């Protein structure tokens, strides 16, 4: 395969208005993407990955999202061939790869601390994997320049890593993976070393390049906003398992568990039962998104009286913290904002009920 066939951006793929609608959730093209079945790993006597199953469609970007220590890096390293699973199968484009070493797999990984060689120029860093594969100098130069152009760094090809910015270094690490023309791109926390502003920029760069090349990609992150903004689908991980796997919009609107509801977006969590303007004690958990809490000065049927405790400016909206004897609530307010100490009435337009961590009921409470 020549450089041009795979690295020249194909005709732009149709970009769905909301990420995720284009994801092949029916698995029609999944045979050519990534298939993980029954992955299991014990480390230090503890089960770290427990019967993990995941299907990523060809050209799809999937994030593994979860709290620190849930097993994201361990999973990615097994996919990339840097760690041997105890059992389970990993298929890339229809080929079983779990018995292959990392260098034999059709995947390339960008590690969290992207470890560029400081004494080498940008071009030599990027070309290094090709040098190992004994490509000719001319071939290496051609491929390196193609990828450097793709990540908008051709003008820095002769710079040393120390002379370029963090975001540029991250893009060099990405180029070093892309130059290998992988069928599967694996990125471990690719934005964690960047400041907030750069994070948004590099995030968009990665997503655009991924879309233009149509490359199947798995990204590990613990940042829900990052996962929401880049992914076709997100696998929410908790303690070595995938808790829910769906599009960002679906995970937000229809979380199946309390863990997912808490991890994706903001959530008011109240222990008890909500009915007719009162909260009664109980073992169920009510989950309410702050945007589903609206405030008014006067009381009305079904409203919950509360006191404004704090108002936090959040840019284009305010986060109002409310307090009652039996609960705390947060409300996102865009219009007129009440002042701390003021008595208000909260109306809840939508609530989820969880029992033993699982969603049992979703209600829009009538007012
Ligand atoms: N070689 C090892 N020996 C023993 N335990 C390990 C080993 N490697 C990882 N672990 C444990 O496995 C668990 C999962 O680790 P992993 O690095 O996959 O987490 P993670 O989800 O990537 O977390 P983070 O967001 O902090 O990077 C952790 O509890 C970790 O301590
Ligand atoms: Mg990790």
């Amino acid at each position: 395969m020549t450089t041009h066939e795979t690295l020249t951006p194909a005709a732009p793929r149709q970009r769905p208005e909301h990420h995720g609608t284009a994801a092949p959730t029916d698995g029609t093209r999944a045979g050519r993407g990534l298939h993980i079945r029954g992955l299991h790993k014990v480390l230090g006597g503890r089960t770290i990955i427990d019967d993990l199953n995941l299907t990523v469609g060809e050209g799809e970007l999937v994030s593994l999202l979860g709290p620190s220590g849930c097993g994201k890096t361990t999973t990615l390293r097994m996919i990339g061939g840097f760690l041997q699973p105890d059992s389970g199968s990993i298929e890339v484009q229809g080929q079983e790869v779990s018995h292959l070493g990392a260098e034999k797999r059709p995947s390339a990984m960008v590690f969290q601390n992207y470890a560029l060689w400081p004494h080498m120029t940008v071009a030599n860093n990027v070309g290094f994997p090709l040098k190992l594969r004994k490509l000719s100098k001319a071939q290496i130069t051609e491929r390196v320049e193609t990828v450097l152009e793709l990540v908008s760094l051709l003008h820095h090809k002769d710079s040393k890593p120390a002379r370029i910015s963090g975001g540029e270094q991250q893009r060099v690490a990405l180029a070093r993976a892309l130059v290998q023309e992988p069928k599967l791109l694996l990125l471990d926390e690719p934005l964690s070393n960047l400041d907030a502003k750069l994070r948004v920029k590099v995030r968009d760069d990665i997503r655009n390049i991924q879309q233009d090349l149509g490359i199947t990609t798995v990204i590990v992150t613990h940042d829900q906003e990052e996962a929401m903004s880049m992914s076709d689908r997100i696998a929410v991980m908790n303690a070595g398992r995938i808790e829910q796997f769906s599009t960002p919009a679906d995970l937000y609107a229809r979380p199946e568990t309390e863990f997912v509801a808490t991890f994706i977006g903001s959530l008011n969590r109240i222990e008890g039962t909500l009915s007719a303007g009162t909260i009664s004690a109980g073992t169920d958990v009510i989950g309410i998104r702050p945007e589903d809490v609206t405030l008014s000065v006067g009381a009305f049927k079904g409203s919950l009286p509360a006191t404004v405790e704090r108002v936090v400016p959040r840019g284009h909206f305010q986060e109002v913290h409310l307090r009652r004897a039996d609960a705390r609530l947060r409300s996102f307010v865009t219009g007129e904002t009440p002042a701390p100490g003021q008595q208000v009435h909260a109306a809840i337009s939508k609530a989820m009920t969880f029992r033993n961590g699982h969603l049992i009921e979703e209600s829009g409470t009538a007012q």
Side-chain angles (χ1 to χ4, degrees), residues 6 12 23 72 84 89 100 104 129 165 173 177 207 224 227 239 274 289 300 305 335 340 355 367:
T6 40
K72 305 179 296 293
Q84 194 58 35
S89 77
L100 299 175
K104 293 261 162 57
S165 74
R207 177 58 168 168
Q224 56 126 341
L274 186 67
R289 299 286 187 203
F300 54 90
R355 185 168 298 163
Q367 324 222 324

Side-chain angles (χ1 to χ4, degrees), residues 243-256:
E243 186 117 351
Q244 192 173 348
F245 182 36
S246 195
T247 61
D250 190 51
L251 288 171
Y252 186 79
R254 282 172 288 277
E256 286 166 7

Side-chain angles (χ1 to χ4, degrees), residues 69 71-74 112 188-189 220:
K72 305 179 296 293
T73 295
T74 304
Q112 185 167 344
D188 194 354
E189 306 269 5
V220 157

